Amino acid sequence: MGFFLSLIPLLILIVWLVGAVRWATRGHVLGGALMGLGALGFFGAFLLPATGTWLQRIELPPFFETTSILGPGGRTFTATIPTARIQRYDSNGRFETGWFVHSAGGMFAIGHTVDGRIAVAAARTKQVEFFNPDGSAAGRPEPCARFGSVQSGVLRPSDCPVWGVTFADPIQATHPGAHWQTLVLVPLWHPFVAWLLAVLGVLATWINGAPRVRVQPDVPKSNDVAI
């Protein structure tokens, strides 16, 4: 069932891209390009987790709805809601690696345990996932029937008690600076940005395709000229 549900964003994305290409080939290049970029950013975000480890060394934009904490080894770990992504940075703010979490498209909070594992609690799955600092799984997910303030993005010890796990009280960190790789990935900044690009593409196509009324100057007819 989950496999077929994951096909829905892919099918919608294909339809949007086909429409964008058709408009571009009809002369609406700007509108088609904006529509295509918007579709890639919005629906492509749902497909990113399916890439697995292919994007492990690719930094995705951590600009909006992102929580940053200090983790093991003095590194910074970010949790970005729109892309369901955890990313690790060194003490100088350089990107090192990233991986996806199973958030079911909802909110999730990031924290860490006293033994150095990264913990991610998802509101929709009602589970806590555990990872090693390199992104590999560090044990099976544990159920969490009671959540604290997941909306804050920070998983604190009292938020989600798990038997046999001791959570550390995380320290929030400043977000990493913008890099050129993340700046050019504009459609993946936030779903609102992707929708805005798509809407601008539709408007540009409509304006460019709207019929233009040409005003003809009044020219006196030959029989109206006084003799």
Side-chain angles (χ1 to χ4, degrees):
M1 185 67 178
F3 172 75
F4 292 103
L5 289 177
S6 64
L7 290 178
I8 296 177
L10 179 60
L11 294 176
I12 298 176
L13 175 60
I14 292 175
V15 171
W16 267 86
L17 292 179
V18 170
V21 171
R22 290 181 61 185
W23 281 110
T25 55
R26 293 177 181 178
H28 307 287
V29 179
L30 178 60
L34 290 175
M35 290 171 59
L37 288 174
L40 282 173
F42 187 83
F43 297 106
F46 293 97
L47 304 173
L48 286 176
T51 61
T53 59
W54 291 357
L55 301 178
Q56 186 176 7
R57 300 300 178 184
I58 303 298
E59 182 184 10
L60 297 182
F63 297 147
F64 302 100
E65 295 187 75
T66 296
T67 302
S68 300
I69 64 169
L70 290 179
R75 290 181 168 88
T76 297
F77 292 81
T78 64
T80 303
I81 303 300
T83 55
R85 176 85 162 175
I86 304 295
Q87 296 188 156
R88 190 186 78 193
Y89 297 81
D90 65 14
S91 57
N92 295 318
R94 288 189 293 264
F95 171 78
E96 292 183 326
T97 187
W99 65 91
F100 298 100
V101 301
H102 181 55
S103 65
M107 300 292 295
F108 62 93
I110 184 174
H112 63 92
T113 63
V114 295
D115 58 359
R117 293 182 295 169
I118 304 301
V120 176
R124 288 186 177 176
T125 64
K126 297 294 190 293
Q127 287 186 331
V128 183
E129 291 183 280
F130 299 95
F131 303 92
N132 294 310
D134 62 357
S136 59
R140 65 182 183 183
E142 295 289 345
C144 180
R146 178 173 63 85
F147 276 84
S149 182
V150 176
Q151 298 291 333
S152 68
V154 179
L155 179 62
R156 303 195 181 280
S158 60
D159 288 340
C160 185
V162 175
W163 177 259
V165 177
T166 303
F167 293 98
D169 195 4
I171 301 174
Q172 287 191 259
T174 57
H175 298 328
H179 306 111
W180 71 266
Q181 300 98 320
T182 54
L183 288 175
V184 299
L185 295 175
V186 178
L188 293 177
W189 285 9
H190 192 273
F192 176 78
V193 177
W195 268 118
L196 180 61
L197 291 174
V199 170
L200 290 175
V202 173
L203 289 176
T205 302
W206 178 78
I207 293 173
N208 191 31
R212 293 175 174 81
V213 179
R214 298 184 61 183
V215 179
Q216 298 290 341
D218 292 332
V219 179
K221 298 181 180 180
S222 58
N223 56 357
D224 294 336
V225 178
I227 301 176

